[in-house]
Amino acid sequence: VWVHDYHLLLLPSFVLRKLRTASVGLFLHTPFPSSELFRTIPVRDELLRGMLNADLVGFHLFEYARSFLTCCKRMLGLEYEFVPGGFLAVRDQKRVVFVQASHVGLEPDNLQPHLRPVGAAEMPPELARCDELRAALGSGRALIGGIDECEHLRGLTFKLLAFEGLLELHPAWQGKVCLVQLLVGARNYLPAAEGDSSAVRAELRAIAARVNSAHPGSIVLVDLPTVSVGVRMAVWAWLRVAIFSAIKEGVNVYPLEYVYARSGEGAGVVVLSETCSCAHVLNGALRVNVW
Protein backbone atom coordinates (compact mmCIF):
# COMPACT_ATOMS: atom_id res chain seq x y z
CA VAL A 1 0.00 0.00 0.00
CA TRP A 2 1.49 3.33 -1.07
CA VAL A 3 0.59 6.43 0.94
CA HIS A 4 1.41 9.84 -0.51
CA ASP A 5 2.13 13.16 1.16
CA TYR A 6 1.69 14.87 4.50
CA HIS A 7 -2.11 14.81 4.56
CA LEU A 8 -2.01 11.08 5.35
CA LEU A 9 0.79 10.74 7.90
CA LEU A 10 -1.50 8.78 10.24
CA LEU A 11 -2.83 6.44 7.55
CA PRO A 12 -0.14 3.71 7.96
CA SER A 13 -1.41 3.15 11.52
CA PHE A 14 -5.00 2.71 10.35
CA VAL A 15 -3.94 0.39 7.52
CA LEU A 16 -2.08 -1.90 9.94
CA ARG A 17 -5.08 -2.07 12.25
CA LYS A 18 -7.10 -3.64 9.43
CA LEU A 19 -4.34 -5.47 7.53
CA ARG A 20 -1.64 -6.63 9.91
CA THR A 21 0.46 -8.20 7.17
CA ALA A 22 0.29 -5.26 4.74
CA SER A 23 3.49 -3.72 3.43
CA VAL A 24 3.10 0.06 3.62
CA GLY A 25 5.19 2.71 1.90
CA LEU A 26 4.91 6.41 2.75
CA PHE A 27 6.34 9.06 0.44
CA LEU A 28 6.40 12.78 1.25
CA HIS A 29 6.31 15.21 -1.66
CA THR A 30 6.84 18.24 0.58
CA PRO A 31 9.73 19.43 2.78
CA PHE A 32 9.98 17.85 6.22
CA PRO A 33 10.57 20.52 8.89
CA SER A 34 13.58 20.62 11.16
CA SER A 35 13.29 19.20 14.67
CA GLU A 36 13.15 22.73 16.12
CA LEU A 37 9.94 23.38 14.17
CA PHE A 38 8.45 19.90 14.38
CA ARG A 39 8.74 19.79 18.17
CA THR A 40 6.27 22.68 18.43
CA ILE A 41 3.43 20.52 17.04
CA PRO A 42 1.19 19.29 19.92
CA VAL A 43 0.63 15.89 18.26
CA ARG A 44 4.23 15.42 17.13
CA ASP A 45 4.63 11.97 18.73
CA GLU A 46 1.43 10.70 17.13
CA LEU A 47 2.56 11.89 13.70
CA LEU A 48 5.99 10.29 14.04
CA ARG A 49 4.46 7.01 15.27
CA GLY A 50 2.08 7.06 12.32
CA MET A 51 4.98 7.46 9.91
CA LEU A 52 6.98 4.73 11.64
CA ASN A 53 4.13 2.27 11.07
CA ALA A 54 5.14 2.29 7.41
CA ASP A 55 7.80 -0.15 6.22
CA LEU A 56 9.46 2.47 4.00
CA VAL A 57 9.44 6.25 4.38
CA GLY A 58 10.63 8.19 1.33
CA PHE A 59 11.71 11.80 0.82
CA HIS A 60 12.86 13.74 -2.22
CA LEU A 61 15.98 15.15 -0.59
CA PHE A 62 18.41 13.78 1.97
CA GLU A 63 18.09 16.93 4.10
CA TYR A 64 14.39 16.17 4.60
CA ALA A 65 15.19 12.56 5.51
CA ARG A 66 17.83 13.82 7.93
CA SER A 67 15.28 16.10 9.62
CA PHE A 68 12.93 13.12 10.04
CA LEU A 69 15.68 10.97 11.53
CA THR A 70 16.66 13.76 13.92
CA CYS A 71 13.04 14.10 15.07
CA CYS A 72 12.85 10.36 15.73
CA LYS A 73 16.02 10.51 17.82
CA ARG A 74 15.22 13.65 19.81
CA MET A 75 11.53 13.08 20.45
CA LEU A 76 11.17 9.30 20.52
CA GLY A 77 14.70 8.28 21.47
CA LEU A 78 15.04 6.04 18.41
CA GLU A 79 18.43 5.52 16.80
CA TYR A 80 19.09 5.09 13.09
CA GLU A 81 21.75 3.22 11.17
CA PHE A 82 22.88 2.29 7.67
CA VAL A 83 21.74 -1.07 6.33
CA PRO A 84 22.67 -3.03 3.19
CA GLY A 85 21.01 -1.79 0.02
CA GLY A 86 21.76 1.89 0.48
CA PHE A 87 19.02 2.54 3.02
CA LEU A 88 18.92 4.22 6.38
CA ALA A 89 16.84 2.44 8.98
CA VAL A 90 15.12 3.42 12.21
CA ARG A 91 14.83 0.64 14.80
CA ASP A 92 11.60 0.79 16.77
CA GLN A 93 11.77 -2.16 19.17
CA LYS A 94 11.56 -5.20 16.85
CA ARG A 95 10.52 -3.25 13.77
CA VAL A 96 12.91 -1.83 11.19
CA VAL A 97 11.64 1.12 9.17
CA PHE A 98 13.64 1.94 6.04
CA VAL A 99 14.23 5.57 5.08
CA GLN A 100 15.17 6.53 1.54
CA ALA A 101 15.87 9.77 -0.33
CA SER A 102 15.13 9.61 -4.06
CA HIS A 103 14.22 12.35 -6.52
CA VAL A 104 11.55 11.83 -9.15
CA GLY A 105 12.26 12.01 -12.86
CA LEU A 106 10.36 12.48 -16.11
CA GLU A 107 8.44 10.22 -18.46
CA PRO A 108 9.70 11.25 -21.93
CA ASP A 109 6.94 9.30 -23.69
CA ASN A 110 4.35 11.68 -22.19
CA LEU A 111 6.30 14.79 -23.18
CA GLN A 112 7.50 13.83 -26.66
CA PRO A 113 4.14 14.43 -28.47
CA HIS A 114 4.20 18.05 -27.26
CA LEU A 115 7.72 18.83 -28.47
CA ARG A 116 7.13 20.99 -31.51
CA PRO A 117 7.95 24.59 -32.48
CA VAL A 118 5.16 26.94 -31.41
CA GLY A 119 5.08 30.50 -32.73
CA ALA A 120 2.78 33.39 -31.95
CA ALA A 121 0.31 32.14 -34.58
CA GLU A 122 0.15 28.65 -33.01
CA MET A 123 -0.14 29.55 -29.35
CA PRO A 124 -2.10 27.18 -27.08
CA PRO A 125 -5.69 28.40 -26.51
CA GLU A 126 -4.96 29.14 -22.84
CA LEU A 127 -2.29 31.67 -23.86
CA ALA A 128 -3.70 32.96 -27.15
CA ARG A 129 -5.89 35.56 -25.42
CA CYS A 130 -2.89 37.21 -23.75
CA ASP A 131 -2.02 40.13 -26.03
CA GLU A 132 1.04 41.06 -23.95
CA LEU A 133 2.53 37.60 -24.43
CA ARG A 134 1.80 37.67 -28.16
CA ALA A 135 3.54 41.04 -28.38
CA ALA A 136 6.54 39.72 -26.46
CA LEU A 137 6.90 36.77 -28.82
CA GLY A 138 6.89 39.08 -31.82
CA SER A 139 9.18 41.72 -30.33
CA GLY A 140 12.43 39.89 -31.05
CA ARG A 141 13.48 40.14 -27.41
CA ALA A 142 15.13 37.28 -25.59
CA LEU A 143 12.54 35.69 -23.31
CA ILE A 144 13.35 34.55 -19.77
CA GLY A 145 11.06 33.55 -16.92
CA GLY A 146 9.27 30.53 -15.57
CA ILE A 147 6.10 28.76 -14.49
CA ASP A 148 5.31 28.74 -10.78
CA GLU A 149 2.45 28.37 -8.37
CA CYS A 150 1.43 31.74 -6.99
CA GLU A 151 2.53 31.37 -3.37
CA HIS A 152 5.06 32.95 -1.06
CA LEU A 153 7.48 30.01 -0.93
CA ARG A 154 8.07 30.15 -4.68
CA GLY A 155 10.16 33.31 -4.25
CA LEU A 156 8.49 35.10 -7.16
CA THR A 157 9.04 38.52 -5.60
CA PHE A 158 12.78 37.87 -5.54
CA LYS A 159 12.67 36.91 -9.22
CA LEU A 160 10.97 40.11 -10.35
CA LEU A 161 13.11 42.34 -8.12
CA ALA A 162 16.27 40.70 -9.47
CA PHE A 163 15.08 41.34 -13.03
CA GLU A 164 14.37 44.98 -12.16
CA GLY A 165 17.89 45.24 -10.78
CA LEU A 166 19.28 43.76 -14.01
CA LEU A 167 17.63 46.44 -16.11
CA GLU A 168 18.76 49.23 -13.78
CA LEU A 169 22.35 48.07 -13.29
CA HIS A 170 22.93 46.93 -16.88
CA PRO A 171 21.16 49.40 -19.20
CA ALA A 172 22.48 47.54 -22.25
CA TRP A 173 19.78 44.90 -21.65
CA GLN A 174 16.91 47.37 -21.67
CA GLY A 175 14.61 46.60 -24.57
CA LYS A 176 16.46 43.37 -25.35
CA VAL A 177 14.99 40.98 -22.77
CA CYS A 178 11.49 40.24 -21.48
CA LEU A 179 10.51 38.26 -18.39
CA VAL A 180 7.48 36.01 -18.92
CA GLN A 181 6.02 34.61 -15.71
CA LEU A 182 3.08 32.19 -15.61
CA LEU A 183 1.21 32.23 -12.29
CA VAL A 184 -0.63 28.97 -11.66
CA GLY A 185 -3.08 28.03 -8.94
CA ALA A 186 -1.71 25.84 -6.15
CA ARG A 187 -1.92 22.09 -6.74
CA ASN A 188 -2.88 21.50 -3.11
CA TYR A 189 -5.40 24.29 -2.71
CA LEU A 190 -6.35 25.29 0.81
CA PRO A 191 -8.88 28.06 1.52
CA ALA A 192 -6.62 29.32 4.32
CA ALA A 193 -3.85 29.98 1.79
CA GLU A 194 -6.01 32.05 -0.55
CA GLY A 195 -5.10 35.26 1.28
CA ASP A 196 -1.38 34.55 0.88
CA SER A 197 -1.82 33.85 -2.82
CA SER A 198 -3.77 37.07 -3.35
CA ALA A 199 -1.15 39.10 -1.48
CA VAL A 200 1.66 37.60 -3.57
CA ARG A 201 -0.25 38.26 -6.79
CA ALA A 202 -0.90 41.89 -5.82
CA GLU A 203 2.77 42.42 -4.95
CA LEU A 204 3.90 40.92 -8.25
CA ARG A 205 1.53 43.09 -10.23
CA ALA A 206 2.78 46.19 -8.41
CA ILE A 207 6.40 45.34 -9.26
CA ALA A 208 5.51 44.53 -12.87
CA ALA A 209 3.63 47.84 -13.24
CA ARG A 210 6.60 49.77 -11.85
CA VAL A 211 9.08 48.04 -14.16
CA ASN A 212 6.86 48.34 -17.23
CA SER A 213 6.31 52.05 -16.59
CA ALA A 214 10.07 52.59 -16.78
CA HIS A 215 10.77 49.93 -19.40
CA PRO A 216 7.58 49.16 -21.39
CA GLY A 217 6.92 45.53 -22.23
CA SER A 218 9.66 44.15 -19.96
CA ILE A 219 7.48 41.93 -17.74
CA VAL A 220 4.50 39.81 -18.78
CA LEU A 221 2.41 38.12 -16.06
CA VAL A 222 -0.06 35.43 -17.12
CA ASP A 223 -2.62 34.04 -14.66
CA LEU A 224 -3.83 30.46 -15.26
CA PRO A 225 -5.89 28.20 -12.98
CA THR A 226 -3.97 25.16 -14.23
CA VAL A 227 -1.25 24.54 -16.78
CA SER A 228 -1.27 21.62 -19.20
CA VAL A 229 1.72 19.72 -20.55
CA GLY A 230 1.26 21.33 -23.97
CA VAL A 231 1.35 24.83 -22.48
CA ARG A 232 4.45 24.06 -20.44
CA MET A 233 6.31 22.61 -23.40
CA ALA A 234 5.45 25.66 -25.51
CA VAL A 235 6.64 28.08 -22.82
CA TRP A 236 9.87 26.15 -22.21
CA ALA A 237 10.62 26.28 -25.93
CA TRP A 238 10.21 30.08 -25.91
CA LEU A 239 12.42 30.78 -22.90
CA ARG A 240 16.15 31.26 -23.38
CA VAL A 241 16.58 31.20 -19.59
CA ALA A 242 14.31 29.44 -17.07
CA ILE A 243 14.46 30.84 -13.54
CA PHE A 244 13.30 28.97 -10.44
CA SER A 245 13.64 31.01 -7.25
CA ALA A 246 11.88 28.88 -4.64
CA ILE A 247 12.58 29.59 -0.98
CA LYS A 248 11.58 26.04 -0.03
CA GLU A 249 9.91 23.27 -1.98
CA GLY A 250 9.35 19.56 -2.23
CA VAL A 251 9.04 18.04 -5.68
CA ASN A 252 9.28 20.22 -8.79
CA VAL A 253 10.08 18.61 -12.13
CA TYR A 254 9.66 21.80 -14.17
CA PRO A 255 13.44 22.40 -14.38
CA LEU A 256 13.81 18.86 -15.75
CA GLU A 257 11.03 19.53 -18.26
CA TYR A 258 12.82 22.67 -19.44
CA VAL A 259 16.04 20.78 -20.07
CA TYR A 260 14.14 18.11 -22.01
CA ALA A 261 12.12 20.67 -24.01
CA ARG A 262 15.25 22.57 -25.02
CA SER A 263 16.99 19.45 -26.30
CA GLY A 264 15.77 20.23 -29.80
CA GLU A 265 15.63 24.02 -29.54
CA GLY A 266 19.26 24.85 -28.91
CA ALA A 267 21.00 25.48 -25.64
CA GLY A 268 19.09 27.01 -22.74
CA VAL A 269 20.08 28.08 -19.26
CA VAL A 270 18.52 26.99 -15.96
CA VAL A 271 18.90 29.30 -12.97
CA LEU A 272 18.05 27.48 -9.75
CA SER A 273 17.69 28.60 -6.20
CA GLU A 274 19.97 26.62 -3.90
CA THR A 275 16.88 25.43 -2.05
CA CYS A 276 15.11 24.05 -5.14
CA SER A 277 14.66 20.31 -5.06
CA CYS A 278 16.31 19.92 -8.48
CA ALA A 279 19.42 21.84 -7.37
CA HIS A 280 20.87 18.53 -6.18
CA VAL A 281 20.11 16.84 -9.51
CA LEU A 282 20.91 19.40 -12.21
CA ASN A 283 24.61 19.88 -11.62
CA GLY A 284 24.99 22.03 -14.72
CA ALA A 285 22.44 24.64 -13.61
CA LEU A 286 23.43 28.07 -12.29
CA ARG A 287 22.71 28.02 -8.55
CA VAL A 288 21.87 31.26 -6.77
CA ASN A 289 21.06 32.40 -3.25
CA VAL A 290 17.68 34.12 -3.62
CA TRP A 291 18.22 36.03 -0.39
Side-chain angles (χ1 to χ4, degrees), residues 8-265:
L8 304 174
L9 294 183
L10 296 177
L11 185 57
S13 298
F14 292 102
V15 171
L16 291 183
R17 290 177 186 176
K18 295 294 184 180
L19 301 171
R20 298 296 298 178
T21 59
S23 296
V24 182
L26 170 65
F27 202 95
L28 268 69
H29 297 266
T30 54
F32 194 86
S34 65
S35 59
E36 286 77 12
L37 292 176
F38 196 82
R39 69 191 306 171
T40 63
I41 302 176
V43 292
R44 62 191 187 187
D45 291 356
E46 289 82 354
L47 293 176
L48 288 176
R49 289 294 181 187
M51 297 177 68
L52 290 171
N53 276 322
D55 298 284
L56 173 66
V57 181
F59 302 88
H60 284 294
L61 299 180
F62 176 74
E63 63 182 275
Y64 303 154
R66 181 176 54 197
S67 296
F68 170 70
L69 295 172
T70 304
C71 288
C72 290
K73 183 176 182 179
R74 291 183 176 179
M75 297 166 203
L76 301 180
L78 301 177
E79 299 289 342
Y80 57 89
E81 60 188 31
F82 286 96
V83 296
F87 292 95
L88 288 163
V90 177
R91 294 196 176 273
D92 186 6
Q93 297 181 6
K94 295 183 178 180
R95 295 191 73 251
V96 177
V97 181
F98 295 102
V99 179
Q100 185 181 33
S102 57
H103 201 280
V104 299
L106 298 176
E107 295 187 12
D109 292 342
N110 294 337
L111 302 179
Q112 185 62 38
H114 303 278
L115 286 180
R116 56 184 178 85
V118 179
E122 301 173 312
M123 295 173 64
E126 299 93 328
L127 302 177
R129 59 179 177 271
C130 181
D131 295 333
E132 294 178 346
L133 180 58
R134 188 181 297 276
L137 287 173
S139 66
R141 299 186 182 190
L143 301 185
I144 67 174
I147 304 173
D148 296 277
E149 296 177 10
C150 189
E151 58 184 19
H152 175 70
L153 290 178
R154 296 297 174 180
L156 296 173
T157 302
F158 294 139
K159 185 188 300 189
L160 266 63
L161 290 176
F163 180 69
E164 182 181 22
L166 170 69
L167 297 180
E168 296 297 333
L169 297 176
H170 302 278
W173 285 103
Q174 296 176 9
K176 297 182 180 179
V177 62
C178 175
L179 188 147
V180 177
Q181 179 62 52
L182 268 63
L183 306 176
V184 186
R187 283 170 287 184
N188 295 324
Y189 173 77
L190 295 174
E194 181 61 32
D196 177 71
S197 178
S198 299
V200 171
R201 185 176 285 103
E203 186 175 10
L204 295 178
R205 292 197 177 282
I207 297 174
R210 182 175 69 237
V211 175
N212 286 332
S213 64
H215 313 287
S218 293
I219 295 181
V220 176
L221 298 180
V222 182
D223 268 306
L224 294 175
T226 59
V227 58
S228 64
V229 177
V231 170
R232 295 201 303 270
M233 291 297 104
V235 173
W236 299 143
W238 294 333
L239 299 182
R240 295 283 299 277
V241 180
I243 307 171
F244 302 92
S245 53
I247 299 173
K248 199 75 171 177
E249 69 177 358
V251 59
N252 184 6
V253 298
Y254 287 177
L256 303 179
E257 285 186 356
Y258 176 78
V259 173
Y260 184 78
R262 296 293 301 188
S263 60
E265 295 290 336

